[in-house]
Amino acid sequence: MSFTNEELQEHWNKITYAFPILKDTLCTDCTASEYESILTLVTGLGIQVKLRDLIHIHIAKYIRQQLAPAFWNKFVTVDDDMKGFQLFKSAVNDLYESVNSFTNIIQRLTLLNNTCEDYRLKCGERDIASSLKLLIGATLHSQLPLDFQLIINQFYKISFNVFDNEYENSDMGEEMICSGCSSEYSECNCAYIVKVFHDTNRKLMDLDLLERLTGQVLTDFIQTRIETHIQKTCTGTFDVSHINNLENWLDTTVMSWLTRIYCGGSSKPPPDNKHIQDAIFKFKLKLISYLYDSYTKLRIDQLFNIIIEYPDSMPAVEDIKFCLGKTDLRLTLCKKLQIALETRLLHPGVNTPDILTAYISTIRALRHLDPSGVILETVTKPVRNYLRNREDTVRSVVSSLTEEGAGNELAEELAKYATESTEGIEIENDSTWDEWNPDPVDADPKVNISDRKASDIVSMLVNVYGSKELFVNEYRTLLADRLLAQTVINTEKEIRCLELLKLRFGESQLHFCEVMLKDISDSKRINALIQQDKEFESLNKKIVSNAMILSAQFWPPFKDESLELPEEIKIHLEAYTKAFEALKGNRTLSWKPHLGNVNIEIEIGDKKLDLTVSPFNATLIMHFQDKPEWSLEDLHQAMKVPVTVLRRKIIYWQSLGLLSEKYTDYYILTEGGDGNKSHVSTNQVQEMVCEDDEAESAMASAHDQREGELQVFWSYIVGMLTNLDSLPLDRIHQMLKMFASQAPGAECSLQELRQFLDTKLRSHQLVLQGGMYKLPKT
């Protein structure tokens, strides 16, 4: 069938009358009856498929060239949030009205599509209207401006503020500012904002643009709000749990607000709309996961402070434990806590007792946080290594174990262990088998699970060094210092502490300490018996002595210091020795003249001073009793004490105004001269004790003891170098391992041997040439 141009033009005019979009306009007066005749014409011509596709093309062109640009042109960057709110509302309203103007065209296009043979839509849409919404969404996304999110964020920011403050008391004066809309209460816009907010969201839902246009912006905004709320409510407070409050806030505030967005203002989703219900449910899952993640990260950043405040911070630890099961942040926690410990704890500026206190709190907190012990094992490895290299760690641990008082955690732990041992309480209980859980995936398979879960803090501190003997020897030295320093010894307290340690370390390890305490009680009895000796009693009129008689082989080595006592003191001590020998028969005494305390009376004019001083200070002032002026060299010859020590001891008597330096290293006795006397009251003088004497230990240090043990090697080394002339360090070490392996302290490392030989080099007993050690030529 052929048509003239006039007929074709007439047919085209009828088609464009029904579908004005073909002329890039939406307005037409075509009625339903007129469209039926036009549809009959199109069907008769057989062009319904081509016409449908052509109309689709023109609709897409119209949306692309007019509708989308008109929408995005409203997105102008503004600083005022309220202006941004208004711009977004206006853009959505205009878009909604423009889409509604397609209603007639969509209805006619639907009828046309029903006459097509393929009767299908390109993207699987339900109908023509859905196809139009999909096309609008795609076109809008193809023309996204760079800063479109700012306006959307401003719109939801204002509406959330209004919703979050909806239930606050608004009965304020007119001068007060509404926390919702930031306007004065007399001009509050909250009701208007809520109305516009619900209306705009309803329109976006109708257009299927809510998720596509605002989904990411809304997610970012809510996540920011969650972080802000967590920071505001949880920072610095560790003694209360926040999880329930945060979950409740998320449910009652955030999710309620989101529900109103998806439901056009309704507080509950429609029961028959599964799509909205699923969207809200998925959003909630995403936000609750983000809530746990954000809260856990905040607590991880604060974990060092949480540990220091443990057990007061138990609720915060419980929150972290719960959140770790909901998040994947175990590795982050381990790394950040390890860095925090190294930065804030493991440096020379922190005292060892403070490090131990923090370490104990870390053990307790992380045991509660992760019962498997994997986190504790990972995090505290640098702490253990650092403590192992600190010289005073063992002494600090032993001091804490043996000191009583509130807050002494190690002493409490030792007493707790003793209680559990005596009552037969087991750490692991088989009755909890149904609560067993496998180790986390980051657990070291080489570590025994029972070792990792050991909850005994004392064991963990001992394992830092891997040797009980080291701790027992340190306790022995500490006990010796304490027994020698006290004028009145509380043996009951020491015995109680020793019994607790015996339960922990075993009786055989602490047998020497038992003998030491027995020596103290025996000394009291022997002193009483000697004082009753008639031959010795006559010597007590001027000098009264009480000796602490120690079993040499059971006590730690003493410092080897020289002191020549005055003649009358030596005579008195010899008499005491004879009285002891008469009492004990085959035993005698070897005096340590530099140890102990001396009670002396000093007369200064018409005043008397009663002082308790060290034997060094007592001997020093007694020499001035016989001769009022002494040079430092003469005192050195008389007392057999190094000049440097003498100079330090004289300062004590100078501080009391009894001695003065006439000129360099020449001292005179000051008798009643107020000009040289320090301004010290009588009561203060009576209590004064020289600080260096009080701080010094009577026992040889571990370094000095080791030096003594290594001296055993010296005869072997001299014999090697005499026969072989010269040897390198490695060869000397190998030969000592071979020939001196039975000597005490024979476990000598290469580094220890090098340090020992260096001392011999400094004293000119060895010569080092080309890496070879040799004896000096005589």
Side-chain angles (χ1 to χ4, degrees):
M1 182 182 295
S2 60
F3 297 94
T4 63
N5 289 338
E6 291 78 6
E7 290 174 333
L8 290 175
Q9 185 63 43
E10 182 181 354
H11 294 333
W12 178 249
N13 290 337
K14 289 180 180 180
I15 292 172
T16 55
Y17 177 68
F19 295 102
I21 190 66
L22 296 172
K23 291 186 176 181
D24 298 327
T25 182
L26 301 176
C27 299
T28 180
D29 296 327
C30 180
T31 63
S33 58
E34 289 175 330
Y35 180 69
E36 288 181 5
S37 63
I38 294 172
L39 183 59
T40 302
L41 172 64
V42 171
T43 305
L45 293 173
I47 60 172
Q48 59 268 34
V49 174
K50 293 181 180 179
L51 180 60
R52 181 197 63 186
D53 293 343
L54 182 62
I55 292 171
H56 270 293
I57 292 171
H58 277 268
I59 290 174
K61 176 184 175 184
Y62 182 87
I63 293 172
R64 184 174 63 255
Q65 293 182 351
Q66 298 187 41
L67 191 145
F71 177 77
W72 290 123
N73 285 338
K74 299 288 181 66
F75 283 67
V76 179
T77 303
V78 291
D79 295 330
D80 187 4
D81 290 343
M82 194 62 193
K83 288 182 179 179
F85 179 88
Q86 295 286 6
L87 284 174
F88 186 69
K89 180 219 46 166
S90 176
V92 173
N93 284 346
D94 290 350
L95 178 65
Y96 188 74
E97 292 176 1
S98 297
V99 173
N100 283 341
S101 63
F102 278 92
T103 302
N104 291 332
I105 294 177
I106 295 302
Q107 292 174 352
R108 294 166 191 159
L109 187 59
T110 301
L111 295 174
L112 176 62
N113 189 61
N114 291 339
T115 64
C116 296
E117 294 178 358
D118 54 2
Y119 189 68
R120 62 182 177 81
L121 299 171
K122 294 183 178 179
C123 299
E125 303 88 340
R126 297 187 302 274
D127 49 39
I128 295 296
S130 299
S131 177
L132 176 66
K133 292 176 182 179
L134 182 63
L135 182 60
I136 291 172
T139 305
L140 289 176
H141 273 76
S142 70
Q143 299 181 15
L144 282 175
L146 292 176
D147 54 354
F148 81 100
Q149 295 180 336
L150 178 62
I151 301 297
I152 302 175
N153 188 74
Q154 289 172 329
F155 177 83
Y156 286 104
K157 178 181 178 181
I158 284 187
S159 59
F160 185 84
N161 288 341
V162 171
F163 182 82
D164 199 20
N165 295 276
E166 182 179 358
Y167 301 106
E168 288 189 2
N169 183 14
S170 60
D171 186 16
M172 301 287 183
E174 293 185 357
E175 73 281 5
M176 300 301 291
I177 302 298
C178 174
S179 55
C181 62
S182 301
S183 301
E184 293 184 1
Y185 274 105
S186 58
E187 301 176 358
C188 181
N189 293 321
C190 288
Y192 167 76
I193 290 172
V194 170
K195 180 179 179 301
V196 170
F197 174 68
H198 293 326
D199 185 59
T200 302
N201 286 319
R202 180 182 56 79
K203 291 176 180 178
L204 288 172
M205 284 293 292
D206 288 345
L207 295 172
D208 287 344
L209 289 177
L210 185 62
E211 282 280 356
R212 296 173 185 174
L213 189 62
T214 67
Q216 188 58 49
V217 180
L218 204 54
T219 300
D220 293 342
F221 170 75
I222 293 176
Q223 288 178 348
T224 302
R225 282 291 179 149
I226 288 174
E227 290 178 359
T228 304
H229 182 76
I230 290 173
Q231 290 281 352
K232 180 180 178 181
T233 58
C234 306
T235 300
T237 55
F238 309 139
D239 55 349
V240 292
S241 175
H242 292 285
I243 286 293
N244 291 336
N245 291 334
L246 290 175
E247 290 176 341
N248 183 62
W249 173 80
L250 184 71
D251 194 51
T252 57
T253 301
V254 177
M255 290 311 303
S256 180
W257 181 65
L258 272 174
T259 302
R260 285 173 166 81
I261 292 175
Y262 279 91
C263 301
S266 175
S267 60
K268 293 183 179 179
D272 57 341
N273 194 328
K274 296 296 182 183
H275 175 70
I276 293 179
Q277 292 177 3
D278 290 343
I280 295 174
F281 179 72
K282 290 177 181 177
F283 218 133
K284 182 176 182 179
L285 289 180
K286 182 162 57 175
L287 292 181
I288 194 71
S289 175
Y290 188 81
L291 176 77
Y292 291 142
D293 192 80
S294 300
Y295 180 65
T296 308
K297 287 179 178 177
L298 174 69
R299 284 307 192 211
I300 287 174
D301 291 338
Q302 301 168 342
L303 189 52
F304 181 84
N305 294 330
I306 291 173
I307 286 172
I308 296 300
E309 295 186 18
Y310 191 84
D312 293 338
S313 60
M314 176 79 77
V317 177
E318 287 282 2
D319 283 353
I320 299 173
K321 182 179 181 180
F322 173 80
C323 290
L324 283 181
K326 303 285 186 179
T327 59
D328 187 24
L329 293 172
R330 284 177 63 92
L331 184 60
T332 302
L333 183 146
C334 292
K335 288 182 178 179
K336 288 200 171 184
L337 180 56
Q338 198 173 74
I339 292 172
L341 289 172
E342 291 175 352
T343 304
R344 301 178 63 177
L345 205 63
L346 307 185
H347 56 82
V350 184
N351 295 328
T352 302
D354 295 334
I355 297 177
L356 288 172
T357 301
Y359 181 46
I360 293 168
S361 294
T362 303
I363 294 172
R364 289 178 171 172
L366 295 185
R367 281 290 184 202
H368 187 80
L369 176 65
D370 177 33
S372 69
V374 175
I375 294 179
L376 176 63
E377 179 188 8
T378 304
V379 167
T380 58
K381 186 176 180 180
V383 182
R384 296 194 298 271
N385 292 337
Y386 186 81
L387 286 173
R388 190 180 298 119
N389 294 325
R390 273 219 173 187
E391 293 182 357
D392 60 339
T393 299
V394 180
R395 175 161 285 248
S396 297
V397 172
V398 174
S399 298
S400 298
L401 282 171
T402 56
E403 288 178 3
E404 296 180 345
N408 193 330
E409 295 177 329
L410 276 183
E412 293 173 2
E413 191 71 22
L414 188 63
K416 175 184 173 184
Y417 179 88
T419 303
E420 292 176 350
S421 299
T422 54
E423 294 179 0
I425 299 175
E426 296 182 359
I427 301 300
E428 294 291 335
N429 194 340
D430 292 337
S431 63
T432 60
W433 61 269
D434 55 334
E435 299 177 5
W436 176 86
N437 286 311
D439 276 353
V441 294
D442 53 341
D444 186 354
K446 298 178 182 177
V447 179
N448 191 325
I449 185 172
S450 59
D451 294 340
R452 188 189 299 123
K453 291 186 176 182
S455 58
D456 183 8
I457 293 176
V458 178
S459 294
M460 295 194 69
L461 289 170
V462 172
N463 289 337
V464 168
Y465 289 88
S467 170
K468 290 182 180 180
E469 288 77 9
L470 192 64
F471 283 85
V472 171
N473 289 338
E474 189 61 41
Y475 168 67
R476 185 174 159 222
T477 302
L478 196 68
L479 177 63
D481 272 334
R482 198 151 54 217
L483 294 177
L484 293 176
Q486 296 175 5
T487 54
V488 179
I489 300 171
N490 186 355
T491 53
E492 292 183 1
K493 173 188 171 184
E494 299 296 346
I495 290 172
R496 183 171 62 253
C497 181
L498 179 60
E499 291 300 322
L500 291 175
L501 290 171
K502 282 164 65 177
L503 289 172
R504 183 64 191 77
F505 293 101
E507 294 198 17
S508 60
Q509 299 275 355
L510 293 159
H511 174 64
F512 281 21
C513 298
E514 285 186 297
V515 175
M516 290 165 61
L517 287 173
K518 186 175 182 298
D519 284 345
I520 301 302
S521 58
D522 288 348
S523 296
K524 294 179 181 179
R525 179 176 53 82
I526 293 171
N527 270 307
L529 292 173
I530 291 178
Q531 300 299 337
Q532 297 172 5
D533 189 322
K534 293 182 179 180
E535 295 182 5
F536 184 75
E537 188 176 3
S538 59
L539 297 173
N540 279 350
K541 294 180 180 179
K542 186 176 182 181
I543 300 173
V544 179
S545 62
N546 284 291
M548 191 177 289
I549 303 165
L550 313 177
S551 304
Q553 65 270 34
F554 292 97
W555 283 68
F558 292 94
K559 281 184 178 177
D560 189 14
E561 295 186 10
S562 60
L563 175 63
E564 187 73 18
L565 296 175
E567 192 63 30
E568 57 183 321
I569 303 297
K570 289 164 59 176
I571 293 173
H572 182 87
L573 296 182
E574 287 174 3
Y576 190 101
T577 303
K578 290 180 180 179
F580 176 81
E581 290 173 347
L583 183 65
K584 286 294 184 178
N586 59 345
R587 297 177 66 186
T588 188
L589 296 177
S590 174
W591 293 93
K592 297 289 183 183
H594 60 287
L595 300 180
N597 294 314
V598 181
N599 296 323
I600 58 175
E601 291 183 1
I602 300 178
E603 293 186 6
I604 306 177
D606 57 348
K607 294 184 179 179
K608 287 186 178 181
L609 296 177
D610 292 331
L611 302 174
T612 300
V613 298
S614 67
F616 277 107
N617 285 329
T619 303
L620 178 62
I621 200 65
M622 286 182 71
H623 279 83
F624 281 89
Q625 182 179 6
D626 301 328
K627 178 181 173 183
E629 299 184 6
W630 286 83
S631 68
L632 201 63
E633 181 61 29
D634 291 340
L635 283 173
H636 163 63
Q637 296 295 334
M639 294 176 61
K640 310 299 182 186
V641 175
V643 172
T644 54
V645 176
L646 274 174
R647 190 177 282 114
R648 190 175 76 245
K649 301 295 182 183
I650 288 175
I651 293 175
Y652 172 70
W653 295 113
Q654 285 181 289
S655 68
L656 296 180
L658 297 182
L659 298 181
S660 63
E661 191 172 9
K662 189 173 183 180
Y663 49 85
T664 304
D665 290 343
Y666 193 85
Y667 299 90
I668 62 173
L669 181 66
T670 304
E671 297 184 0
D674 295 336
N676 295 323
K677 200 171 182 178
S678 63
H679 302 288
V680 182
S681 67
T682 303
N683 291 335
Q684 290 175 318
V685 170
Q686 290 174 347
E687 297 176 358
M688 186 179 291
V689 178
C690 189
E691 291 183 0
D692 59 345
D693 288 327
E694 188 176 34
E696 287 179 0
S697 170
M699 318 315 296
S701 66
H703 179 268
D704 294 336
Q705 293 182 43
R706 188 57 178 159
E707 283 287 329
E709 292 174 354
L710 292 177
Q711 284 294 336
V712 177
F713 293 137
W714 181 237
S715 58
Y716 290 93
I717 295 172
V718 170
M720 294 177 201
L721 298 179
T722 300
N723 294 324
L724 301 175
D725 188 41
S726 63
L727 289 170
L729 178 67
D730 292 343
R731 181 62 175 157
I732 294 174
H733 186 246
Q734 291 296 330
M735 293 181 72
L736 285 176
K737 288 171 64 177
M738 186 182 303
F739 298 110
S741 58
Q742 301 302 318
E747 300 82 4
C748 175
S749 67
L750 192 65
Q751 181 65 24
E752 281 185 314
L753 180 61
R754 179 183 284 109
Q755 293 173 354
F756 176 70
L757 295 181
D758 286 344
T759 61
K760 297 301 181 182
L761 288 172
R762 287 192 292 271
S763 61
H764 306 292
Q765 294 176 270
L766 276 182
V767 176
L768 180 64
Q769 290 182 351
M772 305 289 284
Y773 290 92
K774 59 173 61 178
L775 296 173
K777 294 181 180 179
T778 55

